[in-house]
Amino acid sequence: MKRIFIFIAAVFLSSTAFSQTFETSYFLDNYSFGHRINPAFQSDKNVVSVVLGNINVSAGSNLGLSSILFPRNGKLVYGLNKAVSSEEFLSKLNPENLAVEDLGLNLATVGIWDKSREAYHTVEVNLREYVSTTIPSEMFAFLKNGGMANYNLSGTAADVRGYIDIAYGYSRKIGNKIKVGGRAKVLFGIAGARVYSESMNVNAMESSIAVNATNWLMIAQPACQVALDKNGCYDMNSFRFNSFGLAGFGAAVDLGVSVEPVTGLECSLAINDLGGIGWKYNVCGRSDMAADVTDVTDADTGTQFENLIRFKPSGSSNSFEMLPFTVNAGVRYKMPFYDKLSVGVLGSYHNYKNASYMNARLGATVSPTDWFSFTANYGYGTYGNSAGAMFSISGGAFNLFLGAETYLGRVTADRSLPLERFRYAINCGITFRFEGK
């Protein structure tokens, strides 16, 4: 019977592979996409990019290998192994075990100063994809301990989204101290999927088990076709695409302000991706189970519990869902004794539906020439310690930037896999910059 629950856990874990905002870029000079952090920020030059303008990939989790693998007799065994005590295994888990993955690909960007050189305009086309998942610790407790307890497994969930945004941004200076900006986005949903447990309660005894559960499977993509099996449930082996169609439409805004109270000191605040998409779920399945099995050794028990992952059609559904918005608050100060050196602090909150996280970074930047800038920082947040570094090189109109944020905790000796909660991110791109303010 436990194999069914292990299968459910595996479905969610396999979805975990983080944000369009690359936090380290906040500290970098000569960065063409500062408006991603705060729409009030302006590039010092006009900018054009196609396909390779800005690529951002990130992933993180509050679980590491040391939470699921344990050394025993010179080997590593899973926490569900009998050689690992329940207390040791469960003490390494969180009440909610989270993971997120995020991909941002800039397809095209144009950034232009107007003739008055007072306002900066941007137009962008971006491809976005993200995954967020959560598994409650009671799921692992049930898999480990089994009988003689009541388990609440509700809240297990996985969300996958892919969409294109077309954004127009405007930023201008008000007086000598304040800059304000905003970006308006039109969103086109490519595909979305949700698997979540609305309720799942398991009352386990030595030789019996009672389960009451309602689980949902929802897919938004009109070209997606799933046949039914002989029991009238979705047969996921028949999953296929006939053509392609948009799965939803939406809108969002970014809002930001930057203030320079004294020369060299910049304070900023922004909220990004405030909005959502109306998704049309054309494949909606619900699995209900209310069973009281008195003999868990019976051969048909596993078949009964397979109802947990058998989804019967429940009709199409429309749902407006908010994007995972981000709040960025930062302070940067140019050193009065050397204005090519600056230090700063950035605090960020990312509101993923199932896996929100916070992070704070302290960084320093040196830009000895107009064509080179380098920054490094230290961060700490929901996913532990991390370090970030990034550089920008310009030659004529050509501009290249590359940065990474990496986990700083313990890793395995052979493959450098994270033993604790972790976060990794990479940001790179090529733009062409000319004229300007």
Side-chain angles (χ1 to χ4, degrees), residues 76 134 140 149 161 191 226 235 247 272 309 312 352 366 387:
L76 288 176
T134 182
F140 296 99
R161 294 288 181 272
V226 184
D235 179 5
N272 299 331
I309 53 175
K312 291 188 175 181
Y352 282 89
V366 60

Side-chain angles (χ1 to χ4, degrees), residues 152-387:
N152 181 6
L153 310 183
S154 306
T156 307
D159 279 83
V160 183
R161 294 288 181 272
Y163 64 92
I164 289 175
D165 77 56
I166 300 176
Y168 166 71
Y170 178 83
S171 173
R172 71 175 300 117
K173 200 167 187 177
I174 300 177
N176 295 321
K177 302 294 185 181
I178 301 174
K179 287 186 292 186
V180 296
R183 299 173 74 211
K185 306 176 183 179
V186 181
L187 312 175
F188 301 91
I190 298 175
R194 299 181 65 194
V195 183
Y196 69 99
S197 178
E198 179 181 310
S199 64
M200 188 185 302
N201 294 285
V202 178
N203 187 14
M205 304 297 288
E206 283 294 335
S207 59
S208 66
I209 185 169
V211 176
N212 194 309
T214 299
N215 298 316
W216 289 88
L217 166 68
M218 305 176 73
I219 300 174
Q221 174 42 248
C224 172
Q225 302 292 322
V226 184
L228 302 180
D229 61 20
K230 62 181 180 181
N231 297 311
C233 299
Y234 284 121
D235 179 5
M236 300 312 295
N237 291 325
S238 68
F239 185 94
R240 67 183 186 278
F241 286 94
N242 287 338
S243 57
F244 179 79
L246 291 175
F249 299 92
V253 296
D254 299 347
L255 301 172
V257 60
S258 173
V259 181
E260 189 177 5
V262 298
T263 302
L265 177 65
E266 181 185 61
C267 305
S268 62
L269 177 66
I271 180 168
N272 299 331
D273 288 329
L274 191 60
I277 298 176
W279 295 95
K280 182 174 182 180
Y281 292 102
N282 54 295
V283 175
C284 295
R286 172 172 172 159
S287 69
D288 291 297
M289 180 176 181
D292 189 354
V293 179
T294 57
D295 184 4
V296 296
T297 63
D298 185 80
D300 294 330
T301 301
T303 302
Q304 295 183 49
F305 283 101
E306 285 179 2
N307 290 327
L308 287 169
I309 53 175
R310 285 177 175 167
F311 296 94
K312 291 188 175 181
S314 61
S316 61
S317 173
N318 297 325
S319 176
F320 181 81
E321 298 173 14
M322 299 295 289
L323 296 180
F325 67 83
T326 298
V327 178
N328 292 315
V331 177
R332 285 190 70 187
Y333 182 60
K334 290 185 177 181
M335 297 293 99
F337 56 86
Y338 184 56
D339 63 3
K340 299 183 184 300
L341 173 67
S342 64
V343 296
V345 177
L346 176 69
S348 298
Y349 170 72
H350 304 269
N351 183 45
Y352 282 89
K353 185 170 185 178
N354 299 320
S356 297
Y357 74 98
M358 294 183 291
N359 202 52
R361 292 187 175 276
L362 173 64
T365 304
V366 60
S367 304
T369 70
D370 292 336
W371 58 269
F372 179 75
S373 179
F374 175 79
T375 185
N377 63 76
Y378 166 79
Y380 181 78
T382 303
Y383 295 95
N385 298 283
S386 65

